[in-house]
Amino acid sequence: MKSNRRTAGHSADALDFREHLQNFAEAPTLGHGNLRLAVTLPDGEDVNEWLAVNTVDFYNQINMLYGTITELCTPVTCPSMNAGPKYEFLWMDRTMKKPIKVSAPEYVELLMTWIQNLLDNENIFPSKMGVPFPGNFLSTVKQMFKRLFRVYAHIYHSHFSKIVALGEEPHLNTSFKHFVYFVQEFNLVDKKDMQPLAELIESMG
């Protein structure tokens, strides 16, 4: 469950991340106002429409953030999709009988392709006004957010020092806080599935 370039709990990224945990409440973010208020359903807005719009937004945000560290996140440095030594994420879709272990970059590529295909599916994400969302829409969105969380977790645990070096820490922190507030507001990801970043989330208050 550990990448080849580090030992459990003692890599530069792991140490940087532990320090970040201690100071996350004061960590740099972008000046985007009250994020908790920003995630609430606007008056008169359909909840499914709101979920759909924000699903696309977070998909794009996470794609952009991961794109900044792709040169360091390779099958060699990250042979499994993990969030530290205690959490490893396997991939599974409809074509598979059981989950499989893949490298972190392969996992992210499979995930982003899977989400893009869902977003492009008019039967799941209808683009025309007045067309109803399917009965399984909420469960689909929950699965998407559960898996998107894993990308944040991998970035924080395995590539945080690179994010800081690139000056992307405020973007990552703001995006993650926004993400957490949104999933909490609409109960999209179980608390147990966010354990890899539990301390970070608790520090948000």
Side-chain angles (χ1 to χ4, degrees):
M1 290 187 292
K2 302 185 292 290
S3 71
N4 292 340
R5 64 189 178 91
R6 59 190 178 120
T7 56
H10 294 289
S11 72
D13 281 296
L15 294 173
D16 286 345
F17 179 63
R18 295 303 303 177
E19 182 179 343
H20 186 66
L21 275 177
Q22 297 170 11
N23 303 294
F24 191 63
E26 290 81 36
T29 57
L30 302 175
H32 282 182
N34 190 332
L35 289 175
R36 278 206 181 277
L37 185 61
V39 302
T40 58
L41 183 68
D43 291 341
E45 180 73 58
D46 176 77
V47 65
N48 286 335
E49 290 282 1
W50 186 239
L51 289 174
V53 167
N54 281 276
T55 299
V56 174
D57 183 39
F58 284 115
Y59 167 74
N60 288 330
Q61 283 187 45
I62 296 169
N63 242 334
M64 179 191 70
L65 287 166
Y66 182 75
T68 64
I69 50 92
T70 50
E71 290 183 4
L72 290 181
C73 188
T74 71
V76 174
T77 62
C78 303
S80 71
M81 180 62 173
N82 61 54
K86 293 200 299 182
Y87 300 97
E88 182 179 51
F89 310 116
L90 304 180
W91 178 258
M92 185 174 183
D93 58 36
R94 288 184 177 182
T95 67
M96 301 171 183
K97 292 184 178 180
K98 62 180 182 179
I100 61 170
K101 176 179 177 177
V102 295
S103 68
E106 186 177 359
Y107 185 101
V108 175
E109 183 177 357
L110 288 167
L111 172 60
M112 296 307 177
T113 299
W114 175 73
I115 291 179
Q116 187 63 62
N117 288 338
L118 289 171
L119 295 176
D120 291 341
N121 188 333
E122 287 286 331
N123 293 321
I124 302 174
F125 282 82
S127 60
K128 296 180 180 178
M129 294 295 293
V131 176
F133 288 84
N136 67 340
F137 180 70
L138 180 58
S139 62
T140 300
V141 168
K142 285 184 174 183
Q143 182 73 349
M144 295 165 83
F145 273 82
K146 175 182 174 180
R147 289 178 167 184
L148 284 171
F149 168 82
R150 296 170 177 177
V151 183
Y152 282 114
H154 180 70
I155 292 173
Y156 271 114
H157 277 277
S158 298
H159 303 292
F160 186 68
S161 62
K162 179 63 174 178
I163 289 291
V164 173
L166 290 170
E168 291 293 330
E169 184 187 0
H171 292 85
L172 176 62
N173 291 339
T174 302
S175 179
F176 182 61
K177 283 186 177 181
H178 190 185
F179 179 92
V180 170
Y181 291 159
F182 189 77
V183 301
Q184 289 176 338
E185 179 74 14
F186 296 97
N187 194 28
L188 298 177
V189 183
D190 290 341
K191 191 173 182 179
K192 64 179 175 62
D193 291 316
M194 295 198 289
Q195 278 301 303
L197 295 177
E199 291 179 70
L200 212 57
I201 294 168
E202 288 172 11
S203 72
M204 295 180 190

